[in-house]
């Protein structure tokens, strides 16, 4: 696949502000992928901001990127990349991730002894365990199990690779399970990863149902509610918008696991869910990201 990269070097504050602005942009092109990271540990305030497109950037693409920074906008370098599957290349040889009792590994690595192993190969969907939000969700799920939380019915909204749904199924193997994603690509990805991890697809207890839908807008998701556990590792903006739907879908006393939000966005997300009857059970911060375990009050 031919890709184009747009890059610049800015301050840490500018990079994080741009990432937050992109997350809140409701009409952002899903093909326009952005990221930012520290350039040199010796100079922590200098960050590289990069964006990728599967086409040559046009005027509208450049304007959308400039809008993330405001005025004065930084200078961007634009380059055409070799025809390579950069998602696969970026994940080659990555080390297994250990989070709680889980070990998430690519096919380049063997299972870890004594761990709950999940094999997630390089692919097109988000959620391989490498990102702090996914690893944090695995740790929170493990904490729930260790604290004696009983789950009979769970849903993973924005499942990506299916990893978090698979993890919940390993912890509560007899529960009803459903996963969803707005991206149609994820349907095939989840099915392939399910086969790789011995997860049976289907509507019965102990099996996983997979649907393509935005948020909770699907008859199967609605019919299976209320849930003892709802997982959503997406973005802060959609999490806030979905608070009313999630509140209706989670059973009183049920668990809600939220991720995909920067620590700077945590107060807004927590406020949205507090108004809907959720209280904080436990929070975890990994890097710049907050992972929230909320519990719905039994009486509101």
């Amino acid at each position: 696949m031919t890709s184009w990269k747009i890059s610049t070097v800015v301050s840490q504050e500018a990079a994080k502000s741009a990432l937050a602005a992109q997350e809140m942009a409701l009409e952002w092109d899903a093909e326009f992928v952005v990221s930012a990271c520290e350039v040199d540990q010796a100079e922590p305030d200098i960050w590289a901001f990069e964006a990728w497109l599967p086409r040559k950037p046009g005027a509208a693409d450049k304007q959308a990127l400039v809008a993330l920074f405001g005025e004065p906008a930084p200078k961007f370098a634009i380059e055409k990349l070799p025809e390579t599957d950069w998602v696969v290349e970026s994940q080659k040889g990555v080390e297994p991730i250990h989070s709680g009792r889980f070990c998430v590994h690519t096919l380049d690595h063997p299972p870890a002894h004594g761990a709950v192993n999940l094999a997630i190969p390089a692919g097109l969907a988000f959620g391989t365990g490498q990102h702090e939000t996914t690893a944090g969700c695995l740790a929170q799920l493990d904490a729930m199990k260790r604290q004696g939380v009983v789950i009979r019915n769970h849903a993973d909204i924005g499942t990506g690779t299916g990893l978090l749904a698979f993890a919940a199924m390993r912890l509560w193997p007899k529960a009803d399970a459903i996963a969803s994603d707005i991206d149609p690509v994820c349907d095939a990805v989840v099915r392939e990863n399910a086969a790789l991890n011995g997860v049976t697809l289907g509507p019965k207890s102990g099996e996983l149902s997979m649907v393509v839908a935005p948020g909770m807008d699907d008859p199967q998701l609605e019919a299976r509610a209320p849930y003892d556990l709802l997982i959503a590792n997406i973005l802060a903006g959609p999490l806030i918008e979905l608070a009313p739907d999630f509140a209706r879908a989670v059973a009183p006393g049920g668990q809600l696991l939220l991720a995909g939000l920067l620590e700077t966005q945590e107060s807004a997300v927590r406020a949205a869910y507090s108004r809907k009857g959720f209280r904080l059970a436990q929070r975890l911060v990994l890097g710049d990201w907050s992972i929230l375990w909320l519990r719905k009050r039994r009486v509101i």
Side-chain angles (χ1 to χ4, degrees):
M1 182 177 71
T2 302
S3 298
W4 291 74
K5 184 172 80 169
I6 310 173
S7 59
T8 188
V9 176
V10 294
S11 69
Q12 178 185 152
E13 181 181 359
K16 290 184 177 180
S17 295
L19 288 176
Q22 186 269 328
E23 289 180 4
M24 298 300 290
L26 298 179
E27 297 183 0
W28 187 263
D29 185 348
E31 292 186 328
F32 206 166
V33 179
V34 301
S35 71
C37 64
E38 183 181 285
V39 175
D40 187 341
Q41 289 185 346
E43 298 183 88
D45 191 50
I46 300 177
W47 279 42
F49 188 93
E50 299 175 323
W52 293 267
L53 272 171
R55 61 179 184 273
K56 185 176 181 179
D61 299 318
K62 297 173 187 177
Q63 185 57 42
L65 202 57
V66 167
L68 299 180
F69 291 90
E71 298 293 341
K75 293 183 179 180
F76 296 97
I78 302 175
E79 61 179 310
K80 182 180 180 181
L81 302 174
E83 293 190 10
T84 307
D85 189 333
W86 290 101
V87 176
V88 173
E89 288 297 316
S90 68
Q91 295 179 29
K92 278 187 175 179
V94 295
E95 293 299 313
I97 295 297
H98 296 270
S99 185
R101 70 188 71 193
F102 296 102
C103 173
V104 183
H105 60 90
T106 65
L107 299 181
D108 296 327
H109 294 273
H113 179 71
V116 176
N117 286 279
L118 293 166
I120 304 294
L124 296 176
F126 177 82
T128 62
Q130 299 297 321
H131 196 276
E132 288 96 335
T133 59
T134 310
C137 285
L138 292 171
Q140 292 283 47
L141 289 171
D142 182 62
M144 290 182 194
K145 181 67 175 182
R146 293 185 187 280
Q147 293 182 32
V149 173
V150 176
I151 301 298
R152 300 180 180 86
N153 186 19
H154 60 81
D156 180 17
I157 309 301
T159 192
T161 61
L163 171 59
L164 296 179
F166 301 160
M169 294 178 74
R170 293 292 181 87
L171 296 177
W172 298 282
K174 296 182 180 180
D176 293 335
I178 189 168
S180 72
D181 203 286
I182 193 172
D183 188 349
V185 169
C186 295
D187 183 67
V189 172
V190 169
R191 293 179 186 279
E192 291 173 5
N193 289 341
L196 186 63
N197 287 279
V199 173
T200 301
L201 296 173
K204 299 179 182 177
S205 297
E207 299 178 343
L208 177 67
S209 294
M210 175 64 196
V211 298
V212 176
M216 299 297 297
D217 188 14
D218 181 86
Q220 288 190 60
L221 287 171
E222 294 176 359
R224 284 174 172 249
Y227 297 98
D228 301 318
L229 168 64
L230 193 150
I231 305 164
N233 180 14
I234 44 179
L235 296 171
L239 286 176
I240 292 172
E241 292 177 10
L242 287 166
D245 292 341
F246 285 175
R248 286 190 292 270
V250 176
Q255 321 298 320
L256 181 61
L257 180 55
L258 303 180
L261 56 141
L262 294 165
E263 189 177 7
T264 55
Q265 300 166 326
E266 180 181 332
S267 60
V269 173
R270 286 176 60 176
Y273 284 86
S274 177
R275 290 192 290 268
K276 295 300 178 182
F278 288 90
R279 60 181 178 83
L280 182 67
Q282 185 169 296
R283 69 186 287 266
L284 177 64
V285 177
L286 294 178
D288 297 319
W289 303 91
S290 293
I291 300 91
L292 304 178
W293 168 12
L294 307 177
R295 184 175 289 118
K296 187 175 180 180
R297 294 186 181 90
R298 294 186 179 276
V299 178
I300 301 177

